Amino acid sequence: MTISFQNIKFAYGNQDVLHGVSGDLKSGRFYAIVGPNGCGKSTLIKCLDNILHPHTGTIELDGVSIKKIRKKELAKKVAYVAQTSKIIFPLDVFSTVLLGRRPHVGWLPGEKDRKLVNRIIDELGLSDLIMRNIDEISGGELQRVQIARALAQEPSVLLLDEPTSSLDLKYQIEVMQLLKQVSENKKITIVTVIHDLNLATRYANRFILMKKGRIIAHGGKEVINEENIKTLYETEVQKISHGTQTYILPV
């Protein structure tokens, strides 16, 4: 599924955040949105999930405006994982992930849904926590639970706002590897906001570089170059290649 956005503008009150950004996000690609704090990265993906409504511009899924897609149908196509999650009802881990099946089955999940949830929980290393309440687990564990819930929706587009921010190194790698596998094997469009450039270049294959509410570059790994990174962060960096991996180091 392709998600397209054209001339998206958004403001919080009198504060302009997005200044007419445009792009096409294609199936089976893993997009990393990078840029300094406050540049509009999180606002953009919230617009793509119809959480926020742009003041101007259009957003389409395979040529259909998201404004014309009913909320439940949109939830079957697009899943969103927030940077932080508020615990309203302290359900156990299994029940929380099972909530991801609601767009498909309502309140009566079947055996197929339970098997799917169990498989996702196992893939994300949550099996030992399956009956623990989510208010009893760590922030990193809770983040993995929220990713598992989103994957249980079986979306065509998965949007994530800094999914590795509260994870230790082991689970940062495991989550990013999982997202890469999902994008490749299931042809899901993955779009994640991320601050770690080295983690982004290791796993993502497409990049959107944002600064002050504008997209200054987008494309493959060729856009992750010293000139663009200096423009983004106003600091000198050096790009080093080691085998197939690229590293960005501050000078």
Side-chain angles (χ1 to χ4, degrees):
M1 174 170 286
T2 297
I3 183 166
S4 301
F5 54 99
Q6 300 296 323
N7 195 33
I8 296 299
K9 296 182 180 180
F10 186 86
Y12 294 102
N14 295 324
Q15 182 65 44
D16 293 332
V17 179
L18 297 177
H19 302 273
V21 296
S22 301
D24 294 304
L25 311 176
K26 301 184 182 300
S27 298
R29 293 184 176 178
F30 189 169
Y31 292 85
I33 305 179
V34 300
N37 289 333
C39 70
K41 303 184 299 294
S42 298
T43 299
L44 175 58
I45 63 169
K46 288 179 181 178
C47 288
L48 297 181
D49 193 36
N50 210 30
I51 297 171
L52 297 176
H53 306 293
H55 303 317
T56 64
T58 60
I59 301 172
E60 297 180 341
L61 293 177
D62 284 346
V64 179
S65 171
I66 62 171
K67 294 180 180 179
K68 297 181 179 180
I69 303 175
R70 294 169 56 188
K71 185 175 181 179
K72 184 174 182 179
E73 292 303 311
L74 184 63
K76 294 178 182 179
K77 302 174 186 294
V78 181
Y80 169 76
V81 178
Q83 182 178 355
T84 57
S85 301
K86 295 181 180 179
I87 298 176
I88 300 176
F89 300 106
L91 301 173
D92 59 64
V93 168
F94 181 86
S95 299
T96 301
V97 179
L98 189 61
L99 287 175
R101 300 302 299 158
R102 285 186 59 190
H104 299 274
V105 297
W107 292 102
L108 297 173
E111 185 62 24
K112 177 182 176 182
D113 303 295
R114 296 178 183 277
K115 287 183 178 180
L116 173 65
V117 167
N118 275 316
R119 176 174 59 79
I120 293 172
I121 285 174
D122 183 62
E123 288 175 347
L124 268 70
L126 296 166
S127 296
D128 292 342
L129 306 174
I130 195 167
M131 297 310 296
R132 292 270 300 277
N133 283 355
I134 59 174
D135 61 348
E136 300 173 348
I137 62 179
S138 71
E141 291 166 340
L142 178 59
Q143 184 72 335
R144 282 187 283 143
V145 170
Q146 299 302 329
I147 293 172
R149 179 198 54 74
L151 290 174
Q153 290 177 228
E154 296 185 292
S156 298
V157 178
L158 178 56
L159 309 170
L160 306 103
D161 192 356
E162 298 190 46
T164 61
S165 62
S166 59
L167 302 181
D168 60 33
L169 182 59
K170 174 185 176 181
Y171 288 116
Q172 286 182 22
I173 293 172
E174 289 189 0
V175 166
M176 293 297 282
Q177 284 178 333
L178 175 64
L179 294 176
K180 182 178 180 179
Q181 291 169 0
V182 167
S183 70
E184 293 175 345
N185 298 337
K186 297 187 178 183
K187 302 303 179 184
I188 293 178
T189 306
I190 305 288
V191 186
T192 181
V193 171
I194 188 167
H195 278 288
D196 190 324
L197 288 174
N198 291 315
L199 203 59
T201 56
R202 181 173 181 177
Y203 294 102
N205 49 38
R206 306 293 291 181
F207 303 88
I208 298 173
L209 280 56
M210 294 187 65
K211 184 175 184 178
K212 296 182 179 179
R214 293 179 171 85
I215 294 175
I216 67 166
H218 58 87
K221 290 188 177 182
E222 73 279 357
V223 305
I224 305 295
N225 56 54
E226 294 169 355
E227 182 179 355
N228 283 340
I229 299 306
K230 180 180 178 180
T231 298
L232 275 187
Y233 298 104
E234 299 178 3
T235 188
E236 296 284 350
V237 298
Q238 184 177 10
K239 183 177 179 180
I240 299 175
S241 296
H242 179 71
T244 60
Q245 182 58 38
T246 298
Y247 298 94
I248 305 296
L249 302 176
V251 174

